Amino acid sequence: MLIDWPETFTRGPTETGGKAWQLSRLHRYGFPVTEGRVLPAQAYRDWVAAGRPALRDHPAAWDWLWQLPAHWRQRSLAIRSSALAEDGPEHSFAGIHHTTLGAVGIEAILSGIEAVFRSVDSPQAVAYRERFQIDAASVAMAVVIMPLLTANSAGVCFTCNPQQGRRDQVLIQATLGLGEALVSGATEPDEALLTYDSDQQLQQDYYRIGRKQVQTHSSLHGPVETRSSEQAASMRALSEQQVQQLAACCIEAAYALDDTQTAWDIEWAWQANQLYLLQARPVTRLGEALPAALANQPGFWSNANTKDVIPHQLSPLDSSVMGIMVNRMLTVTGKLLQYPFHPGAVRTRLLNGRAYLHLSLLQWEFHDGFGFAPASTNQLAGGTQPEITVPPLSKQHKRLVLRRMLRITPSMMRLRRKANKLHADALEEARNWLPAGWVQWENQQLAQEIDRLYRHVWQQEELQRLQTGSGVTYTLLLGKLSQRMPRAEAQQLLSGLLADQPSSITMQQNLQLMDVARLARQHADVVSWLRSPERDQQPWDTTWAADHPFRMAFADFLKTYGHRAIYESDSTQPRWAENPAYLLDCLAGWLDVDFDTLAVHRKQRAEAARRALHSKLPWYRRLLLPGMLKQSALEFSQREQARSSLVSYILPQRRMLLEAGRRLQQAGELAAPEHIFWLVREEIPLALSGARAGRWAALVADRQLQRQHWEHNPAPDVVFYGTTQPVSTPAATEVAPSDVLKGLPVSNGRVQGKVRRLRHPSEGTRLATGEILLAPSTDPGWTPLFLKASGLILETGGYLSHGAIVAREFGLPAVVNITHAMTLLQDGDEVELCGDSGEVRRLTPQA
């Protein structure tokens, strides 16, 4: 009945409980865990069925004892509870069930196990279950048995700051000897607090020596508690080096246990020069670090904007760098203006593997810092999240906001004038990042260069400001027009007027690809090759002579845009320079597209909008409009350009990462080079250094299984916290079908046609010319498909969405932010899409 760590992992938490299973996982991933044995919960159930006898009278108990290693029977052991509901994400049961330290001999071992069993029915356990409405019938107890360490120091490490809800800090409490005196509250421990600095390095804020009135030490007869001498109490329980080593080990353990939720409570002990991890559990009910204005109202996370960029699950590697990058982008301008961001506030998080923004916090920061109404923030981001309650801005606060805007405007004007140079410099730097012979680097240098490139991108603050500094002029312009006409009408006019503004880089990309398609039409051999099912059986550049016009034109396109990709923010996605098959599919689909008609239609939309504007506003109210329109288009365009600049660095990063993966595959640590993306950033140098050898493949396999589970159990689009009941958007099955779907109009015009549902751009060959494209969301990689579509419907998105920006440039009627549109509309449905009102009317009778 007694099982070891590998068998405990196989049995899982439903048979071994949270504590035992987490320890088995730490052992599986190569962390320092002492040898242990686990008595599964079935033993407890059998004991209950037998009438709860004294274990010395329970025949099965003697079988358990003989399964212990022989030398353990006279060794001091720790016997701990591992109830099935214990140490989980919702309930810790901390201190509720019994623990026996220093059990020596058969009688003591039996007594310790029995005490753990009987603690299930203790008053504190019953009260805890009642408090959290845990069904008593589902309770069963597993038991963990481990040798008791002769610890020099012990304690707990929180890979967060549970006192303040901060996830950018590590809190360590330590005492001399065993940790029992600390856990029981009998002593005041030493305390160390560490915080990540702006360069993502963990720095120690303080180390405070506690009084440590009582110490607990191991002996041959069990633990002994003694009063500390004045000299002992004044000693540090941990050296500076041990603090850093402990923090690093616990952070690594937190990432290994859940790379998306790294707030863990980890018990540890130091024996001689060896660190051991004794227990790990998620920090339950960890609050949020929030400004006081948000403390008493519900908060929410939304995937409105992130779903537009990466709608699928993020790899562990991307998830470990996303939070850093997004937080920098969302605060870079505010920090320049010395806006007092709340310490430790988190602006992005992964929920069930997908990226979410803390939009209740962002609504407050944009309102408090820049005077944006929460409704304006929602319109720019898209999504179905509500608006927070904000107080009216006082006159003094309005003056403060105005001063901030006046301070940032000249700086942004200077930055926008050099945006093209910044973009060109970034592309050139990315192309030349890897020197000749870089594949000969030693593992340590390769790891350092991977890290250096990540940090280099984080420091590109000017590009980050350009990407996040768009939408301000559009919001001001929309507000001014909405004073003279209904808001929906103002949106319609702006959509048409923006269609005739200078093109964004994404539009320029598509225009250049259109030129390649025009060239391809002139060569029958190219047309035949593009349409051939065997086209991709050999590299495209070996198919054509070096001086063939098509090869030269397509190579020139890839030189400029080859760093881009479908869902290009996801580093697991091959760049077009690595695999251009999608582009070749687009070219094949464009062979019969009338590009000239598209350009004419775009001009007509803009002219119609100008005529409507002239009829709505007198001349003196139109004086500022051309400049503001130009500025709005410039902001949108430079947002796209800055994004392209930043993602250009992914191509050299992918090359280094895949080289690291190849080396780890050769070493037997990974099954494939691409599995490098299943490690978090901090794990790559460890794996390349040989640390935790033989354990990385198991970690990758477990993360893949977890992602598979999340794929079938996604979080809702909006996730609330701070309410008595969880709130979310309704599931698609709960939404009543309707013949009229309402969304956000982002590109005006009216079109009637058949719906084509695509979940991924790679399905683009199914889109026929003139069909209305329906997708969950779009990023720049989708936009080549816009040339064949007559309209665009998206489940999510806002005015700043990449699809919205390019749809306006293409003159493509578009409605976004229609929740569950992918379920409510089917392939072939005849619909009328109105990009003026934001309505999609079903013309096909429902089955």
Side-chain angles (χ1 to χ4, degrees):
M1 181 67 77
L2 281 177
I3 58 177
D4 59 11
W5 292 135
E7 181 63 20
T8 299
F9 175 81
T10 301
R11 297 279 188 98
T14 57
E15 270 301 307
T16 64
K19 182 180 287 138
W21 192 62
Q22 301 295 10
L23 282 169
S24 75
R25 295 180 68 209
L26 289 172
H27 177 268
R28 174 175 169 83
Y29 305 144
F31 289 92
V33 175
T34 62
E35 190 179 3
R37 294 292 186 274
V38 175
L39 189 62
Q42 188 57 47
Y44 170 82
R45 297 187 187 102
D46 293 343
W47 173 74
V48 170
R52 305 174 189 260
L55 281 190
R56 67 172 61 89
D57 300 326
H58 188 48
W62 294 96
D63 293 334
W64 309 337
L65 287 177
W66 297 123
Q67 293 168 22
L68 283 172
H71 63 285
W72 282 24
R73 295 172 201 149
Q74 295 303 318
R75 186 174 179 180
S76 186
L77 301 177
I79 302 173
R80 294 187 170 95
S81 64
S82 184
L84 301 193
E86 190 173 344
D87 288 350
E90 299 297 329
H91 307 104
S92 68
F93 280 84
I96 299 298
H97 296 128
H98 183 78
T99 293
T100 295
L101 297 181
V104 180
I106 290 174
E107 288 291 333
I109 296 171
L110 286 176
S111 177
I113 296 173
E114 184 176 335
V116 171
F117 279 178
R118 294 195 185 280
S119 67
V120 170
D121 299 314
S122 66
Q124 64 265 30
V126 172
Y128 188 95
R129 293 196 298 271
E130 290 177 351
R131 168 68 178 81
F132 293 107
Q133 298 180 334
I134 300 171
D135 184 9
S138 67
V139 173
M141 177 66 74
V143 180
V144 178
I145 305 173
M146 303 167 69
L148 184 65
L149 298 175
T150 55
N152 306 101
S153 59
V156 61
C157 175
F158 295 96
T159 57
C160 60
N161 185 339
Q163 300 166 355
Q164 299 180 11
R166 293 184 62 169
R167 291 164 172 82
D168 64 334
Q169 294 183 324
V170 174
L171 181 67
I172 296 172
Q173 294 181 333
T175 191
L176 299 172
L178 299 172
E180 181 63 17
L182 186 157
V183 173
S184 66
T187 192
E188 178 190 318
D190 291 3
E191 185 172 278
L193 183 69
L194 302 93
T195 304
Y196 284 102
D197 63 17
S198 60
D199 199 34
Q200 288 303 300
Q201 302 287 355
L202 202 57
Q203 304 293 341
Q204 184 173 304
D205 294 337
Y206 65 77
Y207 187 100
R208 184 171 57 236
I209 297 177
R211 289 182 293 170
K212 299 189 288 292
Q213 307 95 314
V214 175
Q215 297 181 34
T216 306
H217 291 279
S218 300
S219 74
L220 293 176
H221 305 290
V224 176
E225 186 176 287
T226 60
R227 300 290 299 180
S228 300
S229 67
E230 185 174 336
Q231 179 181 5
S234 64
M235 291 174 56
R236 289 178 59 125
L238 293 173
S239 67
E240 292 287 344
Q241 183 179 0
Q242 286 177 318
V243 169
Q244 293 293 332
Q245 185 179 342
L246 172 61
C249 181
C250 289
I251 291 170
E252 291 169 25
Y255 270 120
L257 293 170
D258 187 346
D259 63 277
T260 70
Q261 199 293 91
T262 55
W264 286 75
D265 167 354
I266 299 175
E267 294 183 17
W268 55 271
W270 224 291
Q271 179 174 276
N273 294 319
Q274 176 62 53
L275 171 65
Y276 291 96
L277 304 185
L278 307 178
Q279 179 175 311
R281 59 187 171 213
V283 176
T284 56
R285 289 170 172 75
L286 180 65
E288 300 288 346
L290 293 172
L294 297 179
N296 296 315
Q297 58 178 306
F300 43 86
W301 297 86
S302 171
N303 64 6
N305 187 263
T306 55
K307 190 176 181 180
D308 187 49
V309 179
I310 306 179
H312 49 266
Q313 294 186 64
L314 281 171
S315 69
L317 178 56
D318 280 336
S319 71
S320 67
V321 299
M322 178 205 68
I324 300 168
M325 186 65 180
V326 172
N327 190 69
R328 284 174 177 263
M329 293 177 66
L330 291 174
T331 59
V332 61
T333 300
K335 287 179 178 177
L336 189 67
L337 296 173
Q338 299 180 327
Y339 175 74
F341 289 107
H342 190 77
V346 177
R347 293 166 187 83
T348 183
R349 180 174 297 164
L350 257 66
L351 299 174
N352 288 22
R354 288 176 168 81
Y356 283 69
L357 289 179
H358 198 172
L359 265 173
S360 54
L361 172 64
L362 294 176
Q363 286 180 16
W364 169 254
E365 289 178 341
F366 291 170
H367 167 78
D368 185 53
F370 303 100
F372 269 53
S376 297
T377 301
N378 272 357
Q379 285 197 329
L380 291 175
T384 58
Q385 64 281 345
E387 300 164 17
I388 62 169
T389 302
V390 296
L393 294 177
S394 66
K395 289 183 179 180
Q396 181 181 2
H397 202 139
K398 287 180 180 178
R399 287 195 292 270
L400 176 61
V401 168
L402 180 60
R403 285 198 298 272
R404 285 180 180 141
M405 299 302 289
L406 291 175
R407 284 176 57 196
I408 197 61
T409 299
S411 172
M412 287 301 298
M413 290 176 65
R414 290 192 297 271
L415 181 58
R416 293 196 184 284
R417 283 195 292 270
K418 64 187 228 182
N420 289 339
K421 185 178 186 306
L422 288 172
H423 175 65
D425 289 348
L427 263 59
E428 185 67 18
E429 184 176 48
R431 289 190 194 106
N432 298 313
W433 188 270
L434 296 176
W438 69 270
V439 293
Q440 304 302 320
W441 286 341
E442 297 292 332
N443 282 2
Q444 182 180 6
Q445 184 178 1
L446 180 59
Q448 290 171 346
E449 289 297 321
I450 290 171
D451 186 66
R452 186 171 75 88
L453 182 49
Y454 277 126
R455 294 181 185 280
H456 180 74
V457 175
W458 296 341
Q459 292 162 3
Q460 302 307 301
E461 293 189 350
E462 291 181 316
L463 291 173
Q464 294 166 22
R465 286 171 59 198
L466 286 169
Q467 187 169 0
T468 57
S470 57
V472 175
T473 304
Y474 177 88
T475 302
L476 293 174
L477 187 53
L478 180 61
K480 288 184 177 298
L481 290 178
S482 298
Q483 294 172 4
R484 300 292 169 181
M485 63 188 75
R487 190 177 184 89
E489 194 173 338
Q491 292 168 343
Q492 173 187 345
L493 280 175
L494 284 178
S495 172
L497 292 168
L498 286 169
D500 201 27
Q501 294 297 316
S503 300
S504 70
I505 191 169
T506 303
M507 183 65 174
Q508 294 169 22
Q509 160 198 301
N510 286 291
L511 291 173
Q512 185 171 343
L513 197 60
M514 286 164 58
D515 289 340
V516 177
R518 288 190 180 97
L519 179 66
R521 289 173 182 170
Q522 301 171 17
H523 297 270
D525 54 347
V526 176
V527 171
S528 175
W529 173 75
L530 284 171
R531 289 174 169 167
S532 169
E534 285 123 25
R535 183 195 66 204
D536 297 329
Q537 291 184 1
Q538 67 181 53
W540 73 273
D541 51 348
T542 63
T543 303
W544 306 101
D547 59 350
H548 193 286
F550 173 77
R551 173 173 171 167
M552 291 191 293
F554 194 53
D556 186 54
F557 176 88
L558 291 178
K559 181 180 179 181
T560 306
Y561 301 108
H563 63 279
R564 308 201 78 175
I566 299 171
Y567 295 123
E568 60 191 358
S569 295
D570 181 351
S571 68
T572 69
Q573 299 297 311
R575 309 292 102 176
W576 289 337
E578 297 173 292
N579 182 3
Y582 169 67
L583 296 175
L584 297 174
D585 283 342
C586 290
L587 289 173
W590 288 359
L591 293 173
D592 300 320
V593 173
D594 185 353
F595 299 134
D596 295 333
T597 300
L598 294 172
V600 170
H601 180 58
R602 177 184 173 194
K603 292 288 186 183
Q604 289 173 342
R605 285 184 63 219
E607 183 58 36
R610 278 192 291 270
R611 288 196 301 269
L613 186 66
H614 279 242
S615 68
K616 297 288 183 182
L617 295 179
W619 68 269
Y620 57 86
R621 293 197 180 279
R622 301 196 303 267
L623 292 176
L624 297 178
L625 285 181
M628 294 185 74
L629 279 169
K630 183 178 180 180
Q631 182 65 23
S632 294
L634 180 66
E635 291 175 8
F636 288 143
S637 176
Q638 290 183 342
R639 178 176 189 261
E640 294 289 300
Q641 186 182 56
R643 173 192 172 96
S644 177
S645 304
L646 290 169
V647 301
S648 69
Y649 292 101
I650 294 179
L651 183 54
Q653 189 70 287
R654 274 181 54 84
R655 288 173 174 162
M656 289 192 290
L657 288 166
L658 290 170
E659 172 62 20
R662 184 188 64 79
R663 296 182 187 187
L664 290 172
Q665 182 190 35
Q666 287 184 339
E669 296 291 352
L670 297 178
E674 293 76 15
H675 285 183
I676 192 72
F677 297 105
W678 290 89
L679 304 184
V680 302
R681 178 180 63 90
E682 294 84 347
E683 290 169 343
I684 292 172
L686 292 171
L688 287 172
S689 72
R692 288 160 44 201
R695 306 303 179 99
W696 298 104
L699 177 60
V700 167
D702 293 349
R703 283 175 174 166
Q704 290 173 332
L705 285 173
Q706 178 64 78
R707 257 50 177 201
Q708 289 176 20
H709 172 73
W710 285 336
E711 187 64 32
H712 295 97
N713 297 275
D717 290 340
V718 183
V719 176
F720 288 77
Y721 64 88
T723 55
T724 55
Q725 295 293 328
V727 185
S728 66
T729 54
T733 53
E734 301 169 352
V735 179
S738 172
D739 287 335
V740 179
L741 307 181
K742 183 70 176 175
L744 181 68
V746 294
S747 183
N748 70 338
R750 187 184 298 266
V751 66
Q752 182 175 325
K754 290 185 177 180
V755 167
R756 177 62 62 192
R757 295 191 314 164
L758 302 181
R759 294 196 174 275
H760 192 272
S762 61
E763 301 172 357
T765 54
R766 296 176 48 230
L767 179 68
T769 301
E771 289 184 325
I772 294 175
L773 172 59
L774 168 61
S777 62
T778 59
D779 84 328
W782 282 80
T783 56
L785 300 179
F786 290 10
L787 286 171
K788 295 177 66 178
S790 62
L792 178 67
I793 304 171
L794 301 179
E795 278 194 329
T796 189
Y799 291 112
L800 288 181
S801 298
H802 306 286
I805 293 171
V806 180
R808 288 191 289 267
E809 294 179 315
F810 275 35
L812 190 68
V815 178
V816 305
N817 227 34
I818 300 181
T819 305
H820 305 306
M822 293 288 288
T823 300
L824 297 173
L825 295 174
Q826 304 297 321
D827 271 348
D829 280 355
E830 190 81 18
V831 301
E832 182 182 63
L833 183 159
C834 182
D836 303 327
S837 65
E839 290 184 347
V840 176
R841 185 178 301 275
R842 192 199 313 267
L843 304 178
T844 304
Q846 294 185 49

